[in-house]
């Protein structure tokens, strides 16, 4: 068997990722406009930013602008590329659009109803969903909180050369991926809301909590774990703050602080959330082409606890479980299909050591690389989510 490499985003995101994101575009005519040709990454970002700010129709000589951190639309992660984009957008605004005053993304500024810049950066295929991604799509939108509408959009396509999509530390360390309504609302605001369209309330209502969650991510990545934990706890108490990212951050901060019991409980909370949405994906790293975990004791140290919590929570729910293996795109479809099934079977066998009486309530299947989330095919930290194991609650 051999390992992995790129493909299309998972099915549940295809409708969002297919949404038209054209600067100022509305209606059928915009949908029929051909997509822009890919250009080098710096030029693509400049084009999208120029469209975004030059076409923005907003009253006022001084407009407060905050940037809600850009994300990869398929995974919801921030990366080296999205962070670089945010910094460059700030520089472009300060140099060329002085009536926009960039302010920090905080609850205090949000209370003044500023304009919010949201943006996605996503690997896509120019040839269609079944082909490997070969460009990155940049989509930028300005959301005016006073009018509750999208007031401008900018779009471009970037060549993949010299683009670093490695997740930032918080997202790199995230052990569990799950479908998240907050991420869905962000993507919809950027990609699927036309100029003049109303903002999704699911996005607006979460903004205050999102600002605190981002503070927690910033503190975590600065290795100030107690401060990060305080932000996550505060965010969870706010309207819209009961999010997957809060659960992840709570687990990561407790782990870094050496609070084992709290970390175990927090991971169990993550499992409950994922099983509740019937989509729990765990980042378990295997050796290339193998069903054995990688040779990194520090990385795999929490795996027994993770699997124990999954088994415990499944037993408590008396649920039936489909365990689904995934790979990235290196190698043939047939070999990746076999590899993904073998990895799922390996994980199922580990779970059954703690509950052998549940054998008839579990099934192991594989999807190969058909449901890649990232799809870049780099086989490194940037696309680790493509080599995940998924746990789905199914009918018995």
């Amino acid at each position: 068997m051999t390992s992995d490499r790129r493909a299309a985003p998972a099915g549940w995101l295809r409708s969002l990722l297919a949404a038209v994101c054209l600067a100022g575009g509305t209606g059928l005519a915009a949908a029929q406009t051909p997509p822009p040709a890919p250009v080098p990454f710096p030029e693509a970002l400049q084009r999208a930013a120029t469209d975004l700010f030059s076409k923005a129709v907003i009253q006022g000589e001084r407009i407060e602008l905050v940037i809600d951190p850009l994300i990869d639309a398929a995974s919801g992660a921030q990366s080296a590329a999205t962070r670089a984009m945010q910094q460059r957008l700030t520089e472009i605004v300060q140099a060329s659009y002085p009536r926009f005053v960039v302010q920090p993304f905080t609850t205090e500024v949000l209370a003044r109803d500023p304009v919010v810049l949201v943006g996605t950066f996503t690997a896509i295929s120019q040839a269609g969903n079944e082909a490997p991604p070969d460009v990155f799509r940049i989509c930028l939108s300005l959301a005016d909180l006073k009018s509750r509408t999208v007031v401008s959009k900018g779009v471009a396509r970037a060549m993949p050369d010299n683009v670093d999509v490695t997740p930032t530390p918080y997202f790199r360390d995230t052990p569990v991926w799950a479908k998240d309504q907050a991420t869905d609302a962000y993507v919809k605001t950027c990609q699927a809301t036309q100029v003049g369209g109303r903002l999704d309330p699911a996005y607006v209502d979460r903004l205050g909590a999102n600002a605190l969650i981002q503070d927690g991510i910033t503190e975590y990545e600065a290795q100030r774990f107690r401060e990060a934990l305080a932000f996550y706890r505060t965010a969870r108490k706010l309207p819209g703050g009961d999010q997957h990212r809060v659960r992840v951050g709570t687990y990561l901060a407790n782990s870094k602080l050496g609070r084992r019991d709290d970390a175990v409980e927090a991971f169990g909370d993550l499992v409950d959330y994922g099983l509740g949405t019937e989509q729990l994906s765990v980042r378990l790293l295997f050796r290339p082409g193998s069903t054995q975990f990688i040779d990194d004791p520090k990385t795999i140290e929490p795996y027994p606890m993770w699997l124990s919590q999954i088994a415990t929570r499944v037993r408590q729910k008396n649920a039936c479980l489909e365990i689904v293996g995934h790979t990235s795109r290196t190698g043939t479809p047939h070999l990746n299909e076999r590899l993904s099934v073998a990895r799922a079977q390996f994980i199922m066998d580990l779970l059954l050591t703690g509950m052998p009486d549940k054998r008839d309530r579990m099934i192991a299947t594989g999807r190969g690389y058909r449901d890649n989330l990232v799809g870049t095919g780099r086989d490194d930290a940037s696309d680790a989510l493509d080599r995940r194991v998924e746990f789905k609650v199914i009918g018995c």
Side-chain angles (χ1 to χ4, degrees), residues 11 16 41 62 71-72 80-81 91-92 100 107 119-120 143 153 160 163 184 193 213 221 225 276 300 305 383 388:
L16 278 178
F41 175 52
R62 182 183 185 276
I71 62 171
D72 179 290
E91 295 168 355
I92 290 172
F100 290 94
T107 54
T120 58
K153 299 179 80 73
V163 176
D184 286 356
T193 307
I213 293 169
E221 295 186 350
F225 304 120
I300 67 175
M305 183 272 284
D383 62 348
R388 65 195 183 278

Side-chain angles (χ1 to χ4, degrees), residues 263-335:
V264 170
E265 183 60 31
F267 190 85
D269 189 27
L270 271 172
V271 173
D272 283 341
Y273 179 87
L275 294 177
T277 64
E278 299 185 352
Q279 188 168 34
L280 171 69
S281 294
V282 182
R283 194 188 310 242
L284 297 166
L285 300 183
F286 294 89
R287 299 175 195 167
S290 170
T291 60
Q292 299 301 308
F293 296 135
I294 62 172
D295 295 319
D296 183 346
K298 185 175 181 180
T299 297
I300 67 175
E301 180 184 2
Y303 287 10
M305 183 272 284
W306 294 358
L307 294 173
S308 174
Q309 280 297 302
I310 292 170
T312 297
R313 305 290 168 140
V314 169
R315 186 187 299 111
Q316 289 173 351
K317 294 178 180 297
N318 197 30
C320 290
L321 205 63
E322 179 184 8
I323 303 169
V324 187
H326 297 267
T327 70
S328 48
R329 201 179 170 92
T330 300
T332 66
H334 175 66
L335 286 177

Side-chain angles (χ1 to χ4, degrees), residues 31-80:
Q32 294 173 340
T33 304
V39 296
F41 175 52
E43 182 181 342
L45 182 59
Q46 181 69 54
R47 285 186 182 183
T50 298
D51 272 352
L52 182 75
F53 291 107
S54 65
K55 296 179 180 179
V57 180
I58 312 175
Q59 299 298 319
E61 296 181 358
R62 182 183 185 276
I63 300 167
E64 288 190 305
L65 174 74
V66 301
I67 302 178
D68 192 345
L70 282 67
I71 62 171
D72 179 290
S75 67
Q78 299 169 32
S79 67

